[in-house]
Amino acid sequence: MLRRSRLAAARGVLAPLGAAALLLATALVTGSPTAVADSGLRVGGATVDGRAEPLGVDAARPLLGWKLNTESRNAMQSAYQILVSTSAERLAHDQGDVWDSGKRASDESVGVSYAGRRLSPRTRYHWKVRVWDGHGRASAWSAPSFWETALRAPEDWEGARWIGPSDPQAGAPLLRKEFSLDKEVADARAYVAGLGFHELRLNGAKVGDHVLAPANSPYDRRVLYDTYDVTKALRKGGNTVGLWLGHGYGENFSPYGFRWNGQRQAIALLDVTFTDATRRRLTTDPSWKWSLGPITADDLYDGESYDARKERDGWDESGFDDRSWKSVSTVDAPRGALRSNTMPPVRVVDTLRPRKVTEIRPGTYVYDFGQNIAGWARLSAEGAAGTRITMRTAEELNADGTLDTATNRDAAATDTFTLAGTGRRESYEPRFTYHGFRYLEVTGFPGKAGLGDVRAAGLGDVRARVVHADVPSTGTFSSSSEVLNSIWRNNRWSLLNNSMSTPTDTPVRDERTPPAMDVQAYRDAATREFGMGGFYAKYLQDLPPGTALPSDDVKAQYPDMAGGQVTLAWTLYEQYRDRNALRMAYPEMKRFVDRNATEVPGLIWPADKGFGDWCPPDHGPEANDGMGSPTAGDCTSEVSLVNTALSYQQAQAVAKAAGVLGHRQDARRFAALADRVKDAFNARFLNEAGDTYGSGRQVTSVLPLAFGLVPADKVTDVGDRLARTIVEHDDSHVDTGIFGTRYLVDALARVGRIDLAMTMLHQRTYPGFGFQLAQGATTTWEQWLYRSSMETHDHAMFAGINTSLYTVLAGIRPTEPGYREIAVEPRIPASLDQVSATQETVRGRVASSWKKTRGTLRLTVTIPANSRAVVRVPLTDEDHRVQAPTEARKTQVSEQAAAYRVGSGTWTFTVR
């Protein structure tokens, strides 16, 4: 307090002397870089709650973060100073009138909790940070950044009302309001929630690039609104705001999903600041008008119908004649509270050209986009008024080239476009639906009968629009095996295609609901491949630990279902240092694990409650060498053993969370509970010989080995027996479901059988990823079978194995949450010559690359500034020699590896 008060006094006295004098005063008090040599550290990558310059920040104490760059090795931060100001001008003069942290001795650069005065709603805050290195030398200040706070209380909405069409059954209505601004606009924001979906328009154009907004949520608990910067869309004089509403969640939407059941309705606040600093607010109220528009039907499963003859040209512009439009009605607000949407928005992220077009019968064309995606088609055509073009989608083709819609199940997946006949080319793409597909069938396309003419027109006029949550790519992987590379790519596509506004089980059929079990199996892969912090933090609020999906209460306590949210909360802390998400989830994490420990006799989960290692290979007669049949597929497997193992992992997660949050007694209690689960697990499932568990199927040993459940003196025996089972019983093929597959490589690596894991992944016959590739798969299937009683070919639940490409083959693992401490310990299969992986972590880029050439292994590792690592260099024989950089400190040598302690920078080790 004394240092802070002196700094404030110095600033108060010297303010009239200008910025230079103020900087000098700051230097005398806090140690400015003008007083010491430059550290060489450059501060960048500023984030608030994991987002760069975000709007709509909802947290009372947001988490600040930054990354450090330098050309030097072994660079560490020893202290930081953060300034937060109410204006860019104050910040430029180093005035932290909201918060000046002072110089704080800490190497933390991730998840630093804001600790200034209480934040006001709907306000922009400017901030910057500087750091000191290990020698006490300061960096320059980071580039100025900002965040804006959300609307928190109902009164922050300035009296905005929920409105909707006066006809509750109206289709996809258009809502509009004209208004005039008498001053020049300096800044403007729009806060909008439209249910089931909305599109915001201003002065004749769509605002922003969000699609399928707002994000899906449990509407009885939370309704999410989006925040838009609309400064450039407004002008002095006449303006018009429009809201286009869709429903999407039709009567046939899955009862296990978050379904909006009410009418189409919206609430909006437009907050305008003029250049003279005065403000004006425009809200939704009864003065708005509405009319039907060209969308005549919209449903997430069935598709969208658009009749261009019903377009209202200029409806979202000033001067439009709306005398025939009706007045809106005010409607009841949803039960759920309005909250800011802080996850990455769903966007169109790519546009694909067709690889091939085929006329399967006169006037019917099938387009192959070469990749299974989530999204929709965009089409343009010229023709007579009333010409109706129909677009159907599917993942696969029948032998005759027609669409195979079996995996669509009851989803019609059909969009229709009726031309207005304007005499010029008309374009269409859906707004309030999406599909999972690789193939598009188009009928009714106007044009000449000859295939050549339509092919030329069609290839130029039809595109596939790739749509998903716009999460950044954070991982790369490559190897000398094209099979591994393809498995990696297919799994990434499945992860993205199933990341909409919630995780989904598939974008294809009539489901698309949050798959808690699937996420539990692939969350570790997703958080390495993509920046999933905001996405999963939102999902964790939608579905806290122990919360059931709608119409699904019975599964709320299953470790293989709702228990996945317990470990997800810990993953968010481990990967992103998200203390706020962990703190929010902790009471339910604790309750979930405590309840299961109380209600499950002897801590052994019953065999009749749960799913276990869901969907291992079907070896029955219906499997048909992997091609399957409509009745094939037996998915429930090893329920008791798998759920008991998962309950051990979940107790560990609560113990670790309790330690981080300062609940020491809880930490000890849950660690002891985990130990009791481990003892009970081995007492029940470990056989008398001590070399396998339960039925002996692969998963029964894979999970104990990967989770650390196997007694230390039994690890070798269990590993040897597992290897024999794989080779002798399973012909070196996978025989695992989602959890066994996720941890398969980890378990075999632990017992020195990484080569066997590679053999299994490279099998081209059923069952395995290679079999999928042999059938032309571009995404990962729901079952190992091509066809089954429940099947999609775009399902992410097996994508969890991508984790091991980073943690085992490249060897990158955080040993302290947030990658402050890192282990790099690659496993080197004889069958691979090269592996390279990078991971963009919250502290910066981590890379591990190794290559074998002529008896030499070269390992190159990159560690970001402000992190440290232990690199374990693999040794292949007793006559090993390691050539290491002189600054790398050797700490340990065993028969398997030589360990070196290193700091930031790039390090190359050579084993001869």
Side-chain angles (χ1 to χ4, degrees), residues 337-543:
L338 277 168
R339 290 290 182 266
S340 177
N341 180 23
T342 57
M343 67 162 277
V346 177
R347 291 188 171 105
V348 175
V349 297
D350 200 2
T351 301
L352 304 183
R353 298 174 62 90
R355 302 279 184 86
K356 180 182 179 183
V357 60
T358 305
E359 187 176 24
I360 57 171
R361 55 182 173 268
T364 300
Y365 304 91
V366 171
Y367 296 80
D368 177 3
F369 293 99
Q371 175 63 53
N372 214 11
I373 68 165
W376 52 72
R378 183 182 70 192
L379 178 147
S380 62
E382 181 180 345
T387 301
R388 191 169 185 264
I389 304 171
T390 301
M391 294 171 281
R392 291 198 309 145
T393 62
E395 294 183 290
E396 302 289 351
L397 297 179
N398 294 310
D400 62 359
T402 58
L403 295 189
D404 178 356
T405 59
T407 60
N408 290 4
R409 205 160 63 183
D410 291 331
T414 301
D415 303 316
T416 63
F417 176 32
T418 302
L419 300 182
T422 62
R424 58 185 181 275
R425 192 163 293 279
E426 303 174 48
S427 296
Y428 165 72
E429 60 184 293
R431 281 176 170 81
F432 304 132
T433 190
Y434 78 96
H435 314 293
F437 68 102
R438 172 176 172 173
Y439 300 98
L440 172 73
E441 178 195 88
V442 179
T443 57
F445 194 97
K448 299 178 182 178
L451 175 60
D453 293 329
V454 177
R455 182 197 300 271
L459 283 172
D461 298 331
V462 179
R463 296 286 186 270
R465 305 278 268 169
V466 180
V467 177
H468 54 71
D470 194 10
V471 292
S473 176
T474 54
T476 67
F477 174 84
S478 65
S479 74
S480 53
S481 165
E482 189 49 45
V483 170
L484 277 187
N485 299 341
S486 296
I487 292 171
W488 173 75
R489 283 192 298 268
N490 283 11
N491 286 337
R492 277 173 61 93
W493 271 104
S494 287
L495 289 169
L496 287 174
N497 292 344
N498 285 288
S499 297
M500 301 302 284
S501 59
T502 68
T504 62
D505 47 6
T506 170
V508 182
R509 66 171 176 245
D510 52 338
E511 204 162 343
R512 310 182 205 180
T513 56
M517 183 167 59
D518 299 6
V519 174
Q520 185 171 191
Y522 67 63
R523 64 167 190 269
D524 294 326
T527 53
R528 283 162 173 82
E529 298 287 7
F530 306 105
M532 303 296 289
F535 182 89
Y536 280 146
K538 179 263 184 190
Y539 172 55
L540 199 57
Q541 291 183 60
D542 289 340
L543 205 67

Side-chain angles (χ1 to χ4, degrees), residues 617-634 766 785 787-788:
D618 184 343
H619 296 296
E622 295 292 315
N624 191 23
D625 292 328
M627 296 311 294
S629 71
T631 58
D634 183 14
Y766 174 80
L785 297 165
R787 180 154 296 179
S788 70

Side-chain angles (χ1 to χ4, degrees), residues 519-727:
V519 174
Q520 185 171 191
Y522 67 63
R523 64 167 190 269
D524 294 326
T527 53
R528 283 162 173 82
E529 298 287 7
F530 306 105
M532 303 296 289
F535 182 89
Y536 280 146
K538 179 263 184 190
Y539 172 55
L540 199 57
Q541 291 183 60
D542 289 340
L543 205 67
T547 303
L549 287 169
S551 307
D552 210 15
D553 288 344
V554 70
K555 303 182 184 70
Q557 282 298 129
Y558 289 2
D560 56 16
M561 288 293 285
Q565 306 303 79
V566 173
T567 41
L568 177 62
W570 174 252
T571 296
L572 289 176
Y573 186 74
E574 179 185 63
Q575 292 295 315
Y576 306 114
R577 293 282 285 192
D578 191 342
R579 183 183 292 266
N580 286 347
L582 190 66
R583 183 186 295 113
M584 187 178 299
Y586 180 74
E588 296 306 317
M589 296 168 66
K590 178 179 173 180
R591 186 206 60 77
F592 179 90
V593 172
D594 269 338
R595 180 176 170 182
N596 279 349
T598 300
E599 295 182 356
V600 176
L603 303 177
I604 301 299
W605 195 261
D608 61 346
K609 292 184 179 179
F611 300 88
D613 195 29
W614 185 243
C615 290
D618 184 343
H619 296 296
E622 295 292 315
N624 191 23
D625 292 328
M627 296 311 294
S629 71
T631 58
D634 183 14
C635 276
T636 303
S637 171
E638 307 291 346
V639 173
S640 178
L641 183 146
V642 168
N643 271 323
T644 305
L646 291 173
S647 71
Y648 169 75
Q649 192 183 56
Q650 289 154 17
Q652 285 185 312
V654 179
K656 290 184 288 189
V660 166
L661 298 174
H663 307 305
R664 295 181 181 178
Q665 185 174 350
D666 279 358
R668 290 190 294 270
R669 182 165 67 85
F670 284 104
L673 173 60
D675 288 341
R676 298 205 315 273
V677 174
K678 179 177 181 177
D679 291 342
F681 182 90
N682 283 296
R684 170 63 65 89
F685 297 111
L686 184 61
N687 71 347
E688 186 175 350
D691 64 357
T692 195
Y693 288 84
S695 69
R697 197 168 189 174
Q698 288 180 23
V699 69
T700 64
S701 292
V702 164
L703 294 192
L705 286 168
F707 288 5
L709 284 161
V710 182
D713 62 339
K714 303 295 184 184
V715 169
T716 299
D717 292 341
V718 172
D720 288 346
R721 175 70 178 271
L722 172 61
R724 289 199 304 274
T725 297
I726 292 170
V727 174

Side-chain angles (χ1 to χ4, degrees), residues 180-339:
S180 182
L181 301 175
D182 58 0
K183 303 175 186 178
E184 296 293 338
V185 175
D187 208 25
R189 299 289 177 272
Y191 306 90
V192 182
L195 299 174
F197 294 118
H198 73 253
E199 178 177 294
L200 174 65
R201 302 185 69 83
L202 271 169
N203 296 327
K206 177 182 174 180
V207 173
D209 56 5
H210 300 191
V211 298
L212 298 176
N216 185 236
S217 63
Y219 300 103
D220 59 335
R221 290 188 281 120
R222 295 196 311 143
V223 174
L224 300 179
Y225 68 87
D226 287 291
T227 304
Y228 300 92
D229 183 341
V230 295
T231 307
K232 295 181 180 179
L234 295 176
R235 60 201 176 208
K236 183 179 178 180
N239 293 267
T240 298
V241 58
L243 283 170
W244 199 336
L245 301 182
H247 196 271
Y249 305 99
E251 291 302 316
N252 64 338
F253 191 76
S254 172
Y256 303 117
F258 304 131
R259 174 172 52 181
W260 172 244
N261 289 317
Q263 72 170 90
R264 294 156 180 83
Q265 61 188 78
I267 188 170
L269 165 65
L270 186 61
D271 187 0
V272 182
T273 301
F274 299 108
T275 52
D276 64 359
T278 60
R279 300 173 78 171
R280 181 179 172 192
R281 285 90 172 186
L282 179 82
T283 63
T284 43
D285 60 27
S287 67
W288 286 55
K289 290 189 171 184
W290 78 275
S291 177
L292 293 175
I295 295 177
T296 58
D298 65 287
D299 184 280
L300 285 175
Y301 298 157
D302 292 340
E304 184 178 286
S305 295
Y306 186 97
D307 189 341
R309 296 171 299 179
K310 299 179 183 294
E311 289 179 342
R312 303 297 188 110
D313 291 340
W315 73 274
D316 50 3
E317 297 182 83
S318 297
F320 176 78
D321 183 1
D322 63 2
R323 287 175 295 180
S324 64
W325 288 42
K326 301 174 183 178
S327 296
V328 299
S329 297
T330 56
V331 298
D332 292 337
R335 288 173 55 193
L338 277 168
R339 290 290 182 266

